Amino acid sequence: MRPAEIPLSVWRTQGHDFVFRGQTIRYWVAGQGEPLLLLHGFPTASWDWNYLWQPLSRQYQVIACDMLGFGDSAKPRDHDYNLVEQADLQQALLEHLQVQQPVHVLAHDYGDSVAQELMARHSENSFAMASCVFLNGGLFPETHRALWVQKLLLSPVGWLVGRTFDRCSLDRDFSRIFGPKTRPSESELDDFWSLISNNRGHHIMYRLISYIPERLVRRERWVQAMQSSQVPMRFINGASDPVSGEHMVERYRELIADPDTVSIPDIGRYPHTEAPALVLRHYQRFRADIAERRPCTVPPRAVQTNKAPDHPVALSSTIQSASC
């Protein structure tokens, strides 16, 4: 059975704000137990996780934010966006929420690169990561097959491409990266566009896209961290994704020892919205395997009931109908 969708209109009312380096960041948190950090992709936002949000929050303390330049967070026009700063943002959010124990990470696309930076920090003892699951993304830049629109955004006319990018452009480009039978509905496309275009976010897409060359610069550090880390990892991949599909899984198997990979046929770049029940099942099995191999010795952090309003620990019953 497909998990229930959280309408974007409801999702937005349940967010909270904190300030990161002078910029307002929108975030969500629910549930209790071991912290699970969800990292969204480009060019969308944390609402991407809406199908998984409620079932995951029954088992874990789930945390997500719209990264700087995305969704309902601040989108400064002249900012030099980079993945290292986005990793700093995640750590600042965890500090804001007073999360002190090792964090599990579930990442997608752009978020995969942020997760790789956090894994590198884990190896340097500046971040405590308990596990990491990647969804479709450019883990190895030499294997990433950029879309034409991404190449245009990286070109000298990228600023113009962003300004002319509209709802129809989104429909056209998304139709290429989703599975043949799992393309987003017109309503979902409207919601995706609402998040992208909020505060004219499409006008800074040419700045956000700088993450693609940044991946090349940081590749060796990130891949070495993945190869040497003892952090449990799994790669869940929509095989029909033309950008980072089955070919990325093959590269993962070449470079990562004892690779734990899952390929989902006929699913594209957004497996967590195209086949959320399957992704949930594979993620839960991954966590069950971890618990069986290495039982957690750190008890779940107790949820305080006297937190200030800007430190919420659960969403309303509209979004979270059960608790751990």
Side-chain angles (χ1 to χ4, degrees), residues 119 129-134 225-235 252 256-261 286 290 293:
M119 185 171 290
M129 181 179 285
S131 73
C132 188
V133 171
F134 302 103
M226 293 174 68
Q227 292 173 327
S228 62
S229 178
Q230 298 302 307
V231 172
M233 295 185 298
R234 171 169 284 185
F235 186 19
Y252 188 96
I256 305 300
D258 300 320
D260 181 350
T261 64
F286 170 77
I290 294 175
R293 293 196 308 266

Side-chain angles (χ1 to χ4, degrees), residues 39 105 107 110-120 129 132-134:
L39 304 176
V105 176
Y110 185 93
D112 283 355
S113 299
V114 178
Q116 287 177 296
E117 171 61 24
L118 292 174
M119 185 171 290
M129 181 179 285
C132 188
V133 171
F134 302 103

Side-chain angles (χ1 to χ4, degrees), residues 18-21 25 27 35-39 63-68 82-105 111 113-130 221-222 301 311:
F18 88 111
V19 177
F20 171 72
R21 298 178 182 173
I25 302 298
Y27 75 93
L36 171 58
L37 183 65
L38 307 180
L39 304 176
I63 301 162
C65 74
D66 289 350
M67 286 186 255
L68 185 64
N82 65 85
L83 295 162
V84 170
E85 183 178 44
Q86 301 287 18
D88 293 344
L89 166 58
Q90 302 303 325
Q91 290 192 268
L93 175 58
L94 293 170
E95 182 179 354
H96 174 74
L97 295 173
Q98 301 176 13
V99 174
Q100 299 177 344
Q101 66 192 91
V103 176
H104 298 267
V105 176
S113 299
V114 178
Q116 287 177 296
E117 171 61 24
L118 292 174
M119 185 171 290
R121 295 182 186 189
H122 173 85
S123 67
E124 298 163 351
N125 297 315
S126 58
F127 180 76
M129 181 179 285
R221 177 169 175 266
W222 291 351
R301 183 170 61 87
H311 288 74

Side-chain angles (χ1 to χ4, degrees), residues 29 47 63 74 133 174 222 244 249 269 293 317:
V29 59
W47 181 69
I63 301 162
V133 171
F174 264 36
W222 291 351
S244 299
V249 175
R269 190 167 184 77
R293 293 196 308 266
S317 58

